[in-house]
Amino acid sequence: MGPTADQEEEKETEMGGGAGGAVAEALLQVVAEVSTLPESRGPLRQMCCDLARRVKLLAPLFDELRDDAGSLGPAELRGLESLCAALVGAKETLRSVNDGSRLYQFLRPQKFQRLFLKATESIEKALGEINLDKLNVSDEVKEQIELVHAQLHRAKESMDLGDLQLSRDLNRALNEDHCDPTILKSISEKLQLKNKNDIVKESVALHEMVISSVGEPDVSVEEMSSLLKKLRDCALLEDPTSASIERKTSFAKHRSPVIPDDFRCPLSLELMKDPVIVSTGQTYERSYIQNWLDNGHKTCPKTQQNLSHTAVTPNFVLKSLIAQWCDANGIELPKKQGGHQDRNPGNNFDINHDGINKLLQKLANGNQEARRAAAGELRLLAKRNADNRISIAEAGAIPLLKQLLSSPDPRTQEHAVTALLNLSINNDNKGIIVKEKAIPMIVKVLESESMEARENAAATLFSLSAVDQNKVLIGEAGAIPALISLLCQGSPRGKKDAAIAIFNLCLYPGNKVVALRAGIVVHLMTMLVDPGASLVDEALAILAILASIQEGKVAIALSDPTPVLLKLIKTGSAQVRENAVALLFSLCSGVEENLKAAKEGGAEEVLKELAETGTERAKRKAGSLLGFICQAAEASVSDSTKT
């Protein structure tokens, strides 16, 4: 016998509530991430400030929606999902500007104006698709969102990059061999490149921009490097104590030139011809560091730190500075020793389609050592940037990586699952991974002996579960018991990855039942009372999700949660107190026994204090719970009177 119409409606409402809560949480997470970004100091600081401020102004809407997610209809959900995607795009724009080259941002203003315009239009359009009158939010919040919407509309027409004086100064600095120091100082002030540390960060940002470019960069790297050198010289004049290398070079210019220490390879002590950077950030001559690595060394020769990987990247900025120094001192420009780049295509982070194809050939036909090395290279390439993730997937890497998930070699298995994790950041790649039926094999990795492989398998499942239909497939593959095992026995990072994955999977109602029957409540309650536990927030969040169904309320109530929750409300952080009272509210809603246990446990005093000192959401939940307790007390008095 099939479900009745009422049952279907109830199921749809429950799934809608779970999806609505997930979207609200995701939106709040994006706002939180934007709030933690440092204030921009570059030429785009006004646009960064305006966009970040408008994103943060949306937080009260998401906070109220989280408390009433069950009332969201399909149209509202679609609108909020579009808004979430728009805010993620805005966050990535802000992050790329913060991490990027300030010189490049000023020299190519139209490119960044388009980025900000796209982010602004996307948020405005998504907000326009949401009917605020259908949302159960306060009038104050509605007015604030309407104001933000109007600001976004106006912002599209009023983006201003103008600093004509800075543009003229940069033009002079780029084209004059001996630029007026006052002009250089003005540029330094406006671009906030005031000292040696600022210059170094700008050099790194410029270097990152070059190696992530597809094809040739759309600016002259040599010109920008030359300008950076002028700004550095200007900064050193302002701080003579740090100018020893530059002064020595200048004094020796017309005698026998002294090679600056920065231009020498730490291994050979000779002028570098092909400088490359290792994972610790140190620069070496390619041939010497490659020989060091080929001999099996896993540490940085200069710092003795362990290398997180053995890939090297060209240091274009330093190479350009070396070329300029050679030209200024009448030294023949050093020629790069050939061969290494051709022999090791995977050692470069640039998108190299021939190199990717060679790595895939090793995955398909190589011996165990070659497969392990190739999987490790693909893991690093996929981590590097979005273009690499697309290129690697298009080349057909995912089916080959899936096969390596069953490799008997733990390190190969770890590389393969981590490469899939990095590739899954791209939404299209998520679809390919699922289509290749990789989920059951990822679950098997979750049960392996390698802790790092288990951690990354959990993170991969979390990434894939961002697509709602994948939550069902992951649950059916038996992931939840394996994740609970990692939650109990894993490393701190493994426990965190497992908790996040379980939370996301339990947004699908069927997975809540699986988690409850796997005994998750006992483990979560243990985390709440463990003084050394660092996952109290995560445990409370999962319990709150489980308490949204009757079976969850019953299972949690059997563990006598009231004393624990009241203690957390008394002594926890603001976030813990908020999550604890939200869980207690959920447990007591419509369950007289739980409400009675809360009252007998001394909840009234604790809740009154929280209603005065908690977060806005905590105050609302505390007030509602106090209302329940008062109603129960009045009903009890009424029943006694009748008797």
Side-chain angles (χ1 to χ4, degrees):
M1 181 178 175
T4 66
D6 288 343
Q7 289 172 326
E8 287 289 352
E9 184 177 349
E10 182 180 344
K11 180 179 178 183
E12 185 176 318
T13 302
E14 183 177 326
M15 292 184 68
V23 173
E25 290 287 355
L27 286 162
L28 284 167
Q29 180 64 30
V30 176
V31 175
E33 289 172 3
V34 170
S35 300
T36 60
L37 292 175
E39 184 178 350
S40 175
R41 300 171 60 217
L44 306 176
R45 53 184 170 271
Q46 189 59 54
M47 283 196 290
C48 286
C49 178
D50 289 343
L51 182 57
R53 177 173 53 80
R54 287 163 186 147
V55 169
K56 287 184 258 187
L57 284 171
L58 299 174
L61 170 65
F62 308 146
D63 190 49
E64 291 199 5
L65 290 177
R66 178 175 58 182
D67 291 341
D68 193 32
S71 66
L72 295 173
E76 288 72 42
L77 272 176
R78 286 193 296 272
L80 290 171
E81 286 168 353
S82 298
L83 181 56
C84 189
L87 293 182
V88 168
K91 178 192 71 176
E92 292 306 317
T93 296
L94 291 167
R95 181 173 288 160
S96 68
V97 170
N98 277 326
D99 296 341
S101 163
R102 297 172 192 172
L103 278 173
Y104 181 67
Q105 289 164 13
F106 190 83
L107 291 173
R108 291 293 178 269
Q110 293 80 11
K111 179 175 182 177
F112 291 93
Q113 187 178 34
R114 287 194 296 270
L115 281 176
F116 278 93
L117 184 60
K118 180 181 178 182
T120 301
E121 286 179 336
S122 297
I123 299 173
E124 187 213 10
K125 181 181 177 184
L127 279 175
E129 293 173 355
I130 298 171
N131 187 343
L132 294 175
D133 292 331
K134 291 189 176 181
L135 301 181
N136 187 19
V137 295
S138 64
D139 291 339
E140 292 84 355
V141 167
K142 288 181 183 178
E143 289 174 6
Q144 181 165 318
I145 302 308
E146 288 168 354
L147 178 62
V148 173
H149 194 205
Q151 289 177 352
L152 289 165
H153 181 74
R154 290 195 299 270
K156 293 190 304 179
E157 303 166 1
S158 59
M159 289 191 176
D160 182 20
L161 299 170
D163 191 333
L164 295 177
Q165 185 58 50
L166 177 58
S167 182
R168 286 193 288 267
D169 288 346
L170 278 172
N171 189 52
R172 288 185 62 181
L174 286 168
N175 293 294
E176 294 178 5
D177 292 333
H178 303 286
C179 185
D180 186 341
T182 59
I183 291 177
L184 293 173
K185 187 174 180 181
S186 174
I187 294 172
S188 297
E189 291 285 343
K190 290 182 178 180
L191 294 181
Q192 293 291 296
L193 300 173
K194 297 180 179 180
N195 54 48
K196 191 173 182 180
N197 287 337
D198 291 337
I199 302 294
V200 169
K201 289 178 183 176
E202 177 68 13
S203 297
V204 171
L206 175 59
H207 166 68
E208 292 284 339
M209 181 205 74
V210 172
I211 65 173
S212 63
S213 298
V214 180
E216 290 296 317
D218 57 352
V219 292
S220 169
V221 178
E222 289 74 18
E223 284 186 357
M224 292 179 72
S225 299
S226 174
L227 177 55
L228 266 184
K229 184 176 184 301
K230 292 174 184 177
L231 294 175
R232 184 183 64 175
D233 291 342
C234 179
L236 291 171
L237 286 173
E238 295 290 318
D239 182 14
T241 58
S242 61
S244 57
I245 293 176
E246 285 72 12
R247 286 203 303 271
K248 289 176 184 176
T249 305
S250 176
F251 294 155
K253 187 172 179 178
H254 299 293
R255 303 194 299 275
S256 176
V258 177
I259 301 173
D261 290 343
D262 292 345
F263 295 172
R264 294 179 184 270
C265 172
L267 290 172
S268 69
L269 300 180
E270 297 174 357
L271 184 67
M272 285 186 277
K273 304 173 179 63
D274 185 14
V276 295
I277 301 172
V278 297
S279 66
T280 60
Q282 299 296 323
T283 297
Y284 299 92
E285 172 63 33
R286 182 188 289 273
S287 59
Y288 283 93
I289 191 61
Q290 193 63 56
N291 185 57
W292 170 271
L293 297 172
D294 289 345
N295 286 332
H297 295 288
K298 303 295 183 185
T299 58
C300 173
K302 187 172 181 179
T303 67
Q304 294 303 305
Q305 292 175 275
N306 288 328
L307 296 171
S308 60
H309 57 76
T310 58
V312 296
T313 56
N315 191 334
F316 290 109
V317 173
L318 182 60
K319 185 177 180 181
S320 176
L321 292 174
I322 291 172
Q324 293 169 37
W325 180 85
C326 290
D327 183 59
N329 287 278
I331 297 174
E332 184 179 356
L333 191 66
K335 295 180 180 179
K336 180 175 73 173
Q337 295 179 350
H340 272 290
Q341 192 167 3
D342 294 334
R343 289 198 299 272
N344 296 284
N347 279 348
N348 193 327
F349 277 130
D350 292 330
I351 295 176
N352 181 331
H353 295 286
D354 290 338
I356 289 174
N357 288 332
K358 289 180 181 178
L359 290 173
L360 297 193
Q361 289 172 13
K362 290 180 182 179
L363 286 187
N365 305 313
N367 58 27
Q368 181 169 292
E369 187 174 343
R371 288 180 177 179
R372 183 196 307 131
E377 295 287 358
L378 288 170
R379 166 184 180 172
L380 295 170
L381 283 166
K383 182 180 180 181
R384 187 63 183 172
N385 59 49
D387 291 330
N388 283 3
R389 290 189 274 275
I390 294 170
S391 297
I392 292 168
E394 287 179 346
I398 289 174
L400 296 171
L401 289 167
K402 174 204 147 186
Q403 293 175 9
L404 293 185
L405 293 175
S406 57
S407 170
D409 177 52
R411 190 65 175 164
T412 302
Q413 190 182 62
E414 177 193 316
H415 284 327
V417 75
T418 311
L420 289 173
L421 166 62
N422 295 335
L423 289 170
S424 72
I425 296 170
N426 177 280
N427 284 330
D428 290 339
N429 291 350
K430 285 184 176 73
I432 300 173
I433 293 169
V434 173
K435 186 178 179 181
E436 290 294 328
K437 295 181 169 49
I439 287 176
M441 300 185 73
I442 295 170
V443 172
K444 287 192 177 296
V445 176
L446 193 58
E447 299 166 340
S448 68
E449 295 181 1
S450 166
M451 182 53 66
E452 186 169 352
R454 293 175 71 190
E455 292 168 353
N456 291 337
T460 306
L461 293 175
F462 167 68
S463 175
L464 294 175
S465 69
V467 180
D468 282 342
Q469 54 263 41
N470 292 349
K471 292 181 176 70
V472 182
L473 298 175
I474 294 168
E476 290 175 347
I480 290 175
L483 286 167
I484 294 173
S485 175
L486 182 61
L487 181 68
C488 299
Q489 304 165 5
S491 65
R493 179 189 156 196
K495 291 180 178 180
K496 182 95 170 175
D497 288 333
I500 294 171
I502 291 169
F503 174 83
N504 216 36
L505 290 172
C506 285
L507 294 173
Y508 169 65
N511 288 337
K512 295 175 189 176
V513 176
V514 174
L516 289 166
R517 294 177 183 176
I520 192 173
V521 170
V522 174
H523 304 299
L524 294 173
M525 292 303 299
T526 300
M527 290 180 181
L528 295 185
V529 298
D530 181 1
S534 59
L535 295 174
V536 173
D537 277 333
E538 288 81 358
L540 286 169
I542 297 170
L543 286 167
I545 288 287
L546 297 175
S548 65
I549 62 173
Q550 187 60 32
E551 188 171 340
K553 287 185 180 182
V554 171
I556 297 169
L558 289 173
S559 65
D560 191 21
T562 302
V564 177
L565 294 177
L566 291 177
K567 183 178 179 181
L568 290 173
I569 294 171
K570 283 182 185 177
T571 62
S573 65
Q575 188 63 46
V576 166
R577 297 174 79 200
E578 178 183 310
N579 289 337
V581 74
L583 175 56
L584 188 59
F585 173 84
S586 182
L587 291 172
C588 293
S589 298
V591 183
E592 188 176 339
E593 295 85 350
N594 294 348
L595 191 59
K596 182 180 178 182
K599 179 177 172 56
E600 292 175 351
E604 284 184 86
E605 183 181 343
V606 177
L607 292 171
K608 285 176 182 176
E609 193 273 334
L610 183 63
E612 294 179 0
T613 63
T615 64
E616 289 303 315
R617 181 173 179 242
K619 288 177 181 178
R620 289 197 301 272
K621 294 294 184 184
S624 298
L625 258 177
L626 285 168
F628 288 164
I629 291 172
C630 289
Q631 289 172 11
E634 289 170 0
S636 177
V637 170
S638 176
D639 290 343
S640 299
T641 303
K642 289 177 182 178
T643 303

